[in-house]
Amino acid sequence: MDITQIEAAAQLLAPVIRRTPVVASRVLSEKVGAEVWLKCENLQRTGSFKPRGAYNRIANLPPESRSRGTVAASAGNHAQGVAWAATALGIESTVFMPIGASLPKLMATRAYGAQVHQVGESVDESLDAAKDFADRTGATLIHPFDHPDIVAGQATVALELLDQLPALGTVLVPTGGGGLLAGIAVALQHVAPDVRVIGVQAAEAAAWPDSLAAGRPVRVDRMSTMADGIAVGQPGAVPFTQVSRHVSTIVTVEEEALSKALLLCLERAKLIVEPAGAAAVAALMSCAAEELDLRGPVCAIVSGGNIDPLLLTRVVGHGMSAAGRYLSARVTISDRSGALGALLAVVGKTGASVVDVAHSRTSTWLAIGEVEVSLTLETKGATHRDEVLAALTNAGYAVRDTD
């Protein structure tokens, strides 16, 4: 792949793809000691960067292939990108999605014009079904990351970013199969080779570190991450070639870091971001400075914002707990009138807000005449959380199982 393919993709996409904004993040800049910006691909058509590659791939199909339609497999973002691109180009699309795919992503894919079939428990199983469909019907398989046209389309993010931040020093890229990372790395190698490119994976779905160490794509045994958009079991052959040449650093982030990053994007940047889309922000928040070796200005690619509202609620709660904003504790009190009121009075003096209270008289460790109260409190941060615990202990309460 060379820069001419990427520039051709940029020209093709210019009339149909949004030029997504780049916004400054003061809180991240203060955290890392360098100017930090967010490239908001969550505001792209269909809510992620995926239409760039999908449109470029489908638009380059010859007429005979267009007439037989397209087929894809995805948990959501690629599905929507293919559905939108195919419909915009007047081509039929069929998409296979896992049975457990997010309902909003499923409905959006259908709304963009695709025929959707739910098959298998994972994207890999859906991909097998899509390949079988392609063999039976002659439809062209639009792979989510393992094709030069896909990579070239995703690479246009880098050209756009350089136009917006000409002095760019480091870019962090959420990474699953590797299409976005490979595209950005190749583009920058040609036009801004001094820019440092860092891939970011979820630690619970990290195929790239072992693959790079082995010198070939290696499949991970298991994946368990909230970041379904980058939960890919094995890097693609096409991206692997480019990433192994042009990317020196790939870091991983834990689930707690992902939820904290999503909460920061929501609270401080006013951006709705899915866990995978927040991976680069999570790296800036949690990875050691020497591991990242940042050169400013720094840009974190916010790669997608398609999140089920139910999942958003859970992840925000997880992020608040991880940030010390929630306190869950079990407190033993006397089973007498007024004891609960006295406990809540202590809590009230600390300034914490009560979210939930539950009684239990059946725990085996309780003595006769004792009650266990499960408290869920909203605090003002980690320091306040510790102050609340200290206040309860100083008041003579036995506090256990805090989290």
Side-chain angles (χ1 to χ4, degrees):
M1 178 183 298
D2 58 36
I3 192 62
T4 59
Q5 292 172 274
I6 298 170
E7 290 173 340
Q11 185 174 0
L12 175 69
L13 293 173
V16 295
I17 290 295
R18 290 175 181 157
R19 181 183 174 90
T20 55
V22 173
V23 298
S25 174
R26 182 179 62 82
V27 64
L28 288 174
S29 297
E30 292 175 351
K31 169 70 173 63
V32 304
E35 186 180 330
V36 175
W37 298 76
L38 306 178
K39 175 65 170 167
C40 302
E41 283 293 291
N42 59 312
L43 303 179
Q44 185 53 263
R45 290 185 181 274
T46 78
S48 84
F49 70 95
K50 289 290 189 177
R52 294 176 182 266
Y55 192 96
N56 190 54
R57 172 80 170 99
I58 297 171
N60 281 306
L61 292 176
E64 59 271 22
S65 296
R66 291 187 176 207
S67 66
R68 293 192 292 269
T70 62
V71 61
S74 167
N77 286 347
H78 179 61
Q80 293 174 73
V82 168
W84 170 80
T87 298
L89 290 163
I91 300 171
E92 291 185 0
S93 62
T94 300
V95 175
F96 289 84
M97 302 179 73
I99 293 171
S102 159
L103 181 60
K105 291 181 179 180
L106 181 70
M107 294 174 64
T109 302
R110 286 181 172 142
Y112 285 122
Q115 294 292 323
V116 178
H117 304 280
Q118 291 186 271
V119 176
E121 300 297 326
S122 67
V123 175
D124 287 338
E125 292 179 34
S126 299
L127 184 57
D128 288 339
K131 290 176 180 176
D132 179 66
F133 182 89
D135 291 340
R136 288 187 288 105
T137 66
T140 299
L141 177 66
I142 308 300
H143 198 281
F145 47 81
D146 207 10
H147 192 279
D149 285 344
I150 294 288
V151 174
Q154 320 304 27
T156 61
V157 173
L159 298 186
E160 194 172 291
L161 179 57
L162 276 178
D163 189 46
Q164 294 166 310
L165 288 176
L168 180 67
T170 305
V171 59
L172 293 92
V173 187
T175 304
L180 180 62
L181 178 63
I184 288 176
V186 172
L188 292 176
Q189 183 63 31
H190 282 288
V191 298
D194 292 334
V195 175
R196 179 167 165 75
V197 181
I198 300 173
V200 184
Q201 287 214 283
E204 299 300 318
W208 277 96
D210 288 345
S211 296
L212 291 172
R216 58 180 175 80
V218 174
R219 181 171 295 279
V220 294
D221 294 332
R222 59 177 295 276
M223 296 184 293
S224 179
T225 177
M226 69 178 76
D228 62 339
I230 53 174
V232 177
Q234 181 172 316
V238 172
F240 184 83
T241 299
Q242 304 301 333
V243 171
S244 60
R245 290 175 181 171
H246 305 305
V247 179
S248 60
T249 303
I250 292 184
V251 299
T252 61
V253 292
E254 301 293 339
E255 298 298 286
E256 182 176 297
L258 289 167
S259 62
K260 285 183 177 179
L262 188 148
L263 182 61
L264 181 139
C265 288
L266 186 63
E267 283 193 315
R268 303 301 295 271
K270 316 306 176 189
L271 295 172
I272 295 177
V273 180
E274 61 189 279
V281 174
L284 290 174
M285 294 174 65
S286 65
C287 293
E290 58 270 19
E291 186 177 16
L292 296 178
D293 186 24
L294 299 174
R295 307 165 193 164
V298 176
C299 183
I301 306 296
V302 179
S303 58
N306 293 315
I307 184 168
D308 187 322
L310 294 175
L311 176 60
L312 178 60
T313 300
R314 294 197 296 271
V315 175
V316 167
H318 186 273
M320 290 183 70
S321 180
R325 301 269 294 281
Y326 279 147
L327 168 61
S328 296
R330 297 178 182 179
V331 183
T332 301
I333 65 173
S334 171
D335 189 11
R336 60 177 175 77
S337 178
L340 178 59
L343 170 65
L344 295 181
V346 173
V347 172
K349 290 178 181 178
T350 68
S353 298
V354 178
V355 177
D356 189 39
V357 179
H359 278 79
S360 173
R361 292 181 171 85
T362 59
S363 298
T364 58
W365 55 82
L366 290 174
I368 300 298
E370 289 184 336
V371 175
E372 183 179 70
V373 178
S374 296
L375 289 174
T376 302
L377 308 175
E378 182 180 338
T379 65
K380 300 172 184 177
T383 300
H384 187 214
R385 179 183 185 277
D386 292 341
E387 291 172 354
V388 174
L389 286 172
L392 290 171
T393 301
N394 293 338
Y397 291 105
V399 183
R400 60 186 300 275
D401 289 345
T402 60
D403 56 29

